[in-house]
Amino acid sequence: MNWDYIYELLGDDARDEHLIELFERLDFYSSGSVVDEKFSFLSTMIEKLEKRDWVNYRYGEYSFISMLEDSGKAYVESLEIVNNLNLSIFPRLILPKRYEDGSMYIVVKIPGNVGEDIKWGQCLTEVCNLSETAKQQVVSDLIKLEDAGYLLLPKFRFSVGVTPDGHVMIPDVPLVKKEDAQKFLSDIYARYSMFGWRKERLWGF
């Protein structure tokens, strides 16, 4: 693990001893299944480490996600695309770590996800109550994503969350190339409409 790079990405968070301990665990073991067991144990010892489920842990703004290598690689590729576009509605990729047993741990940062965790996929009320500024930010990011040749598959709605400071976050990032989505564009845009996606954008005016 390139620790200088990790410290640079973490910034002031690198001073958090428990957070650094979690990264050290990722680096020390050669098997993802062993890391799963260690994280499960640590979640009973470190108050701030929350076990969302067997393969997903949260430490403040950071999520530690265990995945099989094939699905993990696809997720990392999607994150790299949206991160390179500087889109604020998606997590920031911090670390992809591969293991000998064919598994991966992927660490992402969800800015603003402090206090109570986001309720993924249960946020229709929160989205409806978003400020116009927040909705405009989502639409702006979705337009940038489309201009880069990508759209979100309609299933993205099941993972939409709203951070405590009122910012939309979409952690799953189910990207599809626009050229491959022509037969279900209307379904995609219908899902975008929860954020105030303009009809004129749908028809390209």
Side-chain angles (χ1 to χ4, degrees):
M1 186 181 293
N2 186 336
W3 282 101
D4 288 339
Y5 179 68
I6 295 299
Y7 287 138
E8 181 181 351
L9 286 178
L10 296 181
D12 290 341
D13 292 337
R15 300 173 183 173
D16 188 322
E17 294 181 0
H18 287 311
L19 180 61
I20 293 301
E21 179 183 359
L22 296 177
F23 279 92
E24 289 174 344
R25 298 280 181 162
L26 294 180
D27 192 42
F28 182 77
Y29 300 103
S30 60
S31 168
S33 61
V34 173
V35 178
D36 292 340
E37 294 174 1
K38 298 301 180 182
F39 268 59
S40 182
F41 172 74
L42 287 173
S43 68
T44 67
M45 304 294 292
I46 300 176
E47 181 178 1
K48 195 175 175 181
L49 181 62
E50 301 174 23
K51 185 176 182 179
R52 288 188 176 124
D53 56 47
W54 180 248
V55 295
N56 193 322
Y57 294 85
R58 176 205 177 207
Y59 186 88
E61 295 179 309
Y62 296 87
S63 292
F64 296 77
I65 308 164
S66 178
M67 305 181 77
L68 295 177
E69 187 168 2
D70 286 346
S71 54
K73 287 172 63 177
Y75 184 47
V76 168
E77 289 172 1
S78 293
L79 284 172
E80 288 175 341
I81 290 170
V82 297
N83 286 178
N84 287 336
L85 292 170
N86 292 314
L87 306 183
S88 67
I89 60 174
F90 302 103
R92 303 297 300 181
L93 177 64
I94 301 298
L95 174 73
K97 176 70 174 177
R98 294 178 175 84
Y99 295 96
E100 295 177 356
D101 61 356
S103 63
M104 292 182 67
Y105 252 87
I106 300 168
V107 185
V108 300
K109 182 176 183 180
I110 300 175
N113 193 26
V114 296
E116 185 177 355
D117 194 14
I118 293 175
K119 295 179 176 62
W120 307 119
Q122 302 176 17
C123 62
L124 291 180
T125 300
E126 288 88 342
V127 169
C128 291
N129 292 331
L130 281 172
S131 68
E132 286 305 311
T133 299
K135 289 182 179 180
Q136 289 170 9
Q137 180 61 61
V138 178
V139 171
S140 174
D141 278 2
L142 291 175
I143 288 174
K144 292 176 183 176
L145 183 65
E146 182 173 1
D147 288 344
Y150 295 93
L151 296 164
L152 290 175
L153 290 170
K155 66 179 182 178
F156 82 87
R157 68 190 185 278
F158 295 118
S159 71
V160 175
V162 180
T163 62
D165 59 0
H167 189 82
V168 168
M169 185 59 57
I170 304 172
D172 285 351
V173 203
L175 293 186
V176 60
K177 290 185 177 180
K178 186 174 181 180
E179 62 195 53
D180 297 328
Q182 296 303 306
K183 293 183 179 180
F184 49 95
L185 280 177
S186 59
D187 291 337
I188 292 174
Y189 293 136
R191 298 302 176 184
Y192 283 6
S193 66
M194 72 173 81
F195 307 114
W197 184 269
R198 300 187 304 276
K199 185 176 181 179
E200 60 267 26
R201 179 70 187 181
L202 170 61
W203 299 112
F205 297 151

